[in-house]
């Protein structure tokens, strides 16, 4: 064994020892609340609940209430929370006591730098204060033409795929074609975020024309997921090792003498992060140079003015300009600004892709709602006075229109479909927190203690881990009614009649978006939810007038019909169940047919 190997294994052993000590010390602070029995002697309930455990997450909350004890790794106990008052207390009222887990923060700092999801306290507050105006409604209006251009490009690609597989116009009207929508939705989302956030033309929809940076952004999420096993160790290394030794440890772990798959994945993740860091610095410098010359943000070889007059209106250009004019006290460092760039792309890419994919899936599953929504969108386009610049296929020859921001964001049924989809199927089903000191968590609905007594307050020790169940909160019948787990866009149409979904008999969640917890609450809520909502709505409003979506119905060459299953891991991922699929590979096959007058 070489010296490097010896040191590498020693570091891993030390980190594992620290973890065991930490877990052992917490046994004295056991949670006095009921919960399901342990499923595994060292895995606890974690794999059982959170690896493809959509229904189990709901069942546990339904059986035990809004605060549940679950068993984590090595006997550690976590608190699984979905009670409305408890979430308000944790995320809003006493948010300084319930912070992000140190492993989450440390990993984000290593990958993204000092961005919004890597910081705490005054630094986080200062960054959020600077970022909030960037996501204002005024800026969203300016960015909508950028998103519309990309949505129309996506539509043109899908329509071209459908047309090329049909032999004549008659077949094109009559026959449907099965396509995997997921890769195109992911590429479209990446283009939207790169253009809107960075002013960078990622060319993700132009297959075969992607650059190294675009490919790195696309691969970041999957490789982070593959290397999660290292997450508990990272805070220990960062607290106990200097920057020099951290780098040395990473060098040792990522050299070729560790040929296992997990180490290969770690090496690839390191390569991806290095590419992202280099490209981000180049883009950032271009924007600083443009500001000094008082010019619109110029193209970094790949960027371009997507629709006349939008150059320099991307979020990073706005942020750099606002920061330069700030006082010294409020100004963010270059390191902090750099930290925001890839954070905003990573935070929005997988989540928005999943949301658009789920919305199309639900519309394919409910064709009557799809048809009603198509009528609403086409009616709005007919009344619109903004001409469509895309006449690349037959549907646009009739003079279809691009919707203005106000029209797009206020279409009743479109709004209802998007809200109901985001409520039932939040892209991030659960999040974690830890206590910075001993605390009490008040409950709106009492639960049972470990001994069976009814309690309405749970006492937690310092460093207690909690799981915030966005999923269980959004399915809570006390707030959403007995049909809380049913996809019913109509519930949002009743709001015009004085009925407010999510506000039932005084039970209401503190979420920043329509009383649901999808985008969280408090000062760590999703800062980009307006951009995400606008993108989702525009993609749907662009695709539906041209394409009808249905679930797969034709058997494959083995006689198996593809059945789509939404697998819950970190995100909700569509896969095809066996025997037609492997149940693992992300795949969203939908039957598509061109819409004709």
């Amino acid at each position: 064994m070489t010296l490097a190997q010896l040191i590498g294994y020693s570091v891993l052993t030390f980190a594992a020892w620290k973890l065991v000590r930490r877990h052992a010390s917490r046994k004295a602070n056991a949670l006095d609340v009921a919960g399901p029995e342990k499923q595994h002697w060292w895995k606890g309930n974690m794999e059982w609940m959170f690896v493809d455990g959509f229904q189990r997450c709901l069942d546990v909350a339904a059986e035990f209430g809004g605060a549940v004890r679950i068993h984590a790794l090595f006997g550690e106990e976590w608190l699984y929370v979905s009670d409305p008052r408890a979430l308000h207390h944790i995320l809003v009222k006493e948010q300084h006591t319930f912070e992000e887990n140190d492993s989450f923060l440390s990993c984000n700092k290593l990958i993204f730098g000092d961005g919004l999801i890597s910081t705490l306290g005054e630094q986080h507050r200062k960054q959020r204060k600077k970022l909030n105006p960037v996501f204002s409604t005024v800026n969203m209006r300016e960015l909508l033409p950028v998103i519309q251009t990309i949505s129309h490009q996506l539509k043109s690609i899908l329509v071209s795929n459908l047309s090329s597989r049909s032999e004549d116009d008659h077949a094109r009207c009559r026959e449907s074609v099965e396509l995997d929508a997921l890769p195109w939705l992911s590429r479209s989302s990446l283009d939207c975020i790169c253009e809107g956030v960075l002013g960078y033309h990622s060319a993700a929809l132009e297959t075969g024309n992607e650059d190294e940076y675009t490919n790195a952004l696309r691969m970041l999420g999957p490789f982070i997921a593959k290397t999660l096993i290292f997450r508990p160790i990272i805070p220990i290394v960062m607290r106990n090792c200097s920057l020099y030794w951290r780098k040395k440890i990473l060098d040792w772990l990522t050299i070729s003498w560790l040929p296992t798959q997990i180490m290969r994945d770690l090496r690839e993740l390191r390569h991806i992060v290095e590419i992202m860091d280099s490209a981000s610095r180049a883009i950032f410098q271009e924007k600083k140079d443009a500001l000094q010359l008082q010019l619109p943000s110029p193209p970094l070889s790949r960027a371009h003015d997507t629709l006349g007059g939008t150059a320099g209106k991307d979020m990073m250009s706005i942020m750099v300009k606002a920061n330069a004019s700030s006082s010294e006290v409020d100004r963010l460092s270059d390191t902090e600004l750099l930290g925001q760039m890839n954070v905003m792309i990573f935070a929005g890419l997988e989540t928005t892709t999943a949301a658009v994919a789920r919305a199309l899936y639900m519309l394919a599953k409910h064709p009557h709602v799809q048809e009603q929504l198509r009528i609403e969108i086409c009616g709005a386009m007919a009344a619109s006075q903004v001409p469509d610049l895309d006449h690349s296929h037959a549907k646009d020859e009739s003079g279809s229109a691009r919707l203005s921001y106000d029209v797009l964001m206020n279409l009743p049924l479109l709004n209802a479909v998007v809200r109901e989809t985001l409520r039932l199927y939040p892209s991030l089903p659960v999040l974690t927190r830890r206590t910075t000191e001993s605390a009490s968590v008040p409950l709106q609905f009492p639960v049972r203690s470990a001994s069976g007594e009814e309690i309405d307050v749970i006492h937690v020790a310092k460093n207690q881990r909690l799981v915030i169940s966005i999923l269980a909160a959004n399915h809570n019948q006390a707030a959403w009614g007995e049909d809380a787990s049913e996809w019913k866009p109509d519930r949002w149409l009743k709001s015009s009649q004085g009925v407010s979904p999510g506000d039932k008999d005084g039970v209401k969640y503190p979420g920043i978006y329509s009383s649901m917890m999808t985008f969280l609450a408090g000062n760590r809520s999703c800062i980009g939810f307006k951009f995400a909502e606008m993108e989702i709505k525009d993609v749907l409003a662009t695709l539906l007038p041209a394409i009808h979506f249905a679930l797969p119905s034709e058997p494959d060459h083995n006689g198996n019909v593809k059945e789509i299953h939404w697998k819950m891991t970190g995100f909700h991922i569509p896969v095809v169940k066996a025997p037609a699929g492997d149940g693992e590979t992300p795949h969203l096959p939908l039957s598509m047919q061109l819409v004709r007058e």
Side-chain angles (χ1 to χ4, degrees), residues 473-538:
N474 286 357
H475 286 248
N476 189 347
Q477 293 186 8
W480 300 97
E482 293 182 359
D483 59 353
S485 292
E486 298 178 37
W487 191 76
K488 289 186 173 181
D490 284 354
R491 76 174 79 241
W492 298 99
L493 300 177
K494 297 176 183 176
S495 59
S496 60
Q497 305 168 11
V499 179
S500 298
D503 188 356
K504 184 174 179 286
D505 300 328
V507 180
K508 185 177 181 180
Y509 281 94
I512 59 168
Y513 179 71
S514 302
S515 299
M516 68 182 77
M517 294 303 299
T518 301
F519 295 109
L520 221 56
N523 72 349
R524 298 196 79 90
S525 58
C526 176
I527 198 169
F529 76 94
K530 290 181 181 178
F531 183 85
E533 183 189 20
M534 178 178 71
E535 181 187 337
I536 296 165
K537 287 182 174 181
D538 186 65

Side-chain angles (χ1 to χ4, degrees), residues 382-408:
S384 176
Q385 299 302 309
V386 183
D388 186 359
L389 301 183
D390 178 11
H391 298 283
S392 59
H393 54 78
K395 181 62 181 175
D396 287 336
E397 289 175 358
S398 60
S400 64
R402 292 188 178 191
L403 300 176
S404 68
Y405 180 84
D406 289 330
V407 171
L408 176 70

Side-chain angles (χ1 to χ4, degrees), residues 174-400:
R174 179 170 51 85
E175 293 183 1
S176 60
V177 175
E178 185 182 296
L179 293 176
D180 183 8
L182 194 61
W184 296 113
L185 296 179
S186 177
R187 289 173 177 274
S188 170
S189 183
L190 179 56
D191 276 347
C192 286
I193 295 172
C194 282
E195 295 263 14
V197 172
L198 304 182
Y200 181 82
H201 182 50
S202 60
L205 279 172
E206 301 169 21
T207 55
N209 195 33
E210 307 99 319
D211 62 6
E212 196 175 39
Y213 181 48
T214 302
N215 282 325
L217 291 171
R218 290 179 57 218
M219 298 307 298
L220 177 63
F223 276 96
I224 287 178
K226 290 178 181 179
T227 54
L228 285 179
I229 190 173
F230 292 102
R231 178 173 283 188
I233 301 172
I234 290 175
I236 299 170
V237 174
M238 292 189 73
R239 281 196 299 266
N240 293 280
C241 301
S242 66
L243 181 61
Y244 172 82
W245 284 109
R246 288 181 223 158
K247 188 176 184 304
K248 280 294 182 184
I249 291 168
L250 185 59
D251 289 340
W252 292 328
L253 289 176
T254 54
I255 59 178
S256 58
W257 57 261
L258 286 172
T260 60
Q261 184 59 51
I262 185 66
M263 292 307 176
R264 284 194 289 269
D265 292 339
L266 186 61
R267 286 195 291 273
E268 185 60 30
L269 177 59
R270 183 184 189 181
H271 179 60
I272 288 170
V273 171
E274 288 171 349
I275 292 171
M276 289 171 49
D277 182 65
S278 175
S280 298
R281 291 178 184 279
I283 294 171
F284 181 65
Q285 190 59 49
E286 288 279 350
K287 295 188 180 300
K288 287 184 66 178
D289 294 344
L291 179 63
Q292 291 174 357
L293 295 172
Q294 295 297 308
L295 295 173
S297 183
L300 177 87
S301 74
R302 298 285 301 258
H304 70 280
D305 188 356
T306 313
L307 191 67
T310 59
K313 296 179 181 178
D314 58 90
M315 295 179 194
M316 277 306 300
S317 293
I318 295 170
M319 197 187 314
V320 170
K321 185 176 181 180
N323 193 64
S325 61
S326 299
S327 65
E328 190 66 33
V329 175
D330 294 330
R331 191 173 300 158
L332 302 182
S333 66
D334 284 359
T335 302
E336 289 178 291
L337 288 173
L338 270 168
Q340 313 307 327
M341 296 177 65
N342 290 325
V343 161
M344 288 192 285
I345 293 175
F346 175 71
L349 176 57
E350 302 288 349
T351 54
T352 308
T353 300
V356 176
R358 178 73 81 156
L360 286 177
Y361 170 82
M362 296 308 296
L363 290 170
K365 194 174 180 180
H366 300 272
H368 62 290
V369 178
Q370 182 181 166
E371 185 56 31
Q372 291 171 1
L373 181 55
R374 182 175 291 110
I375 291 171
E376 178 183 78
I377 294 168
C378 289
M381 285 184 170
S384 176
Q385 299 302 309
V386 183
D388 186 359
L389 301 183
D390 178 11
H391 298 283
S392 59
H393 54 78
K395 181 62 181 175
D396 287 336
E397 289 175 358
S398 60
S400 64

Side-chain angles (χ1 to χ4, degrees), residues 38-89:
K38 189 184 297 186
Q39 297 292 317
H40 191 273
W41 69 273
W42 70 270
K43 293 181 183 178
N45 305 115
M46 300 299 279
E47 184 176 20
W48 176 74
M49 282 191 65
F50 303 121
V51 178
D52 203 14
F54 181 93
Q55 192 57 47
R56 288 189 289 274
C57 285
L58 298 179
D59 291 343
V60 165
E63 181 178 355
F64 294 97
V68 186
R69 182 193 65 217
I70 59 174
H71 300 277
L73 302 179
F74 302 110
E76 187 177 0
E77 294 179 348
W78 288 28
L79 188 64
Y80 180 73
V81 187
S82 59
D83 181 89
R85 185 173 296 161
L87 292 186
H88 180 269
H89 186 81

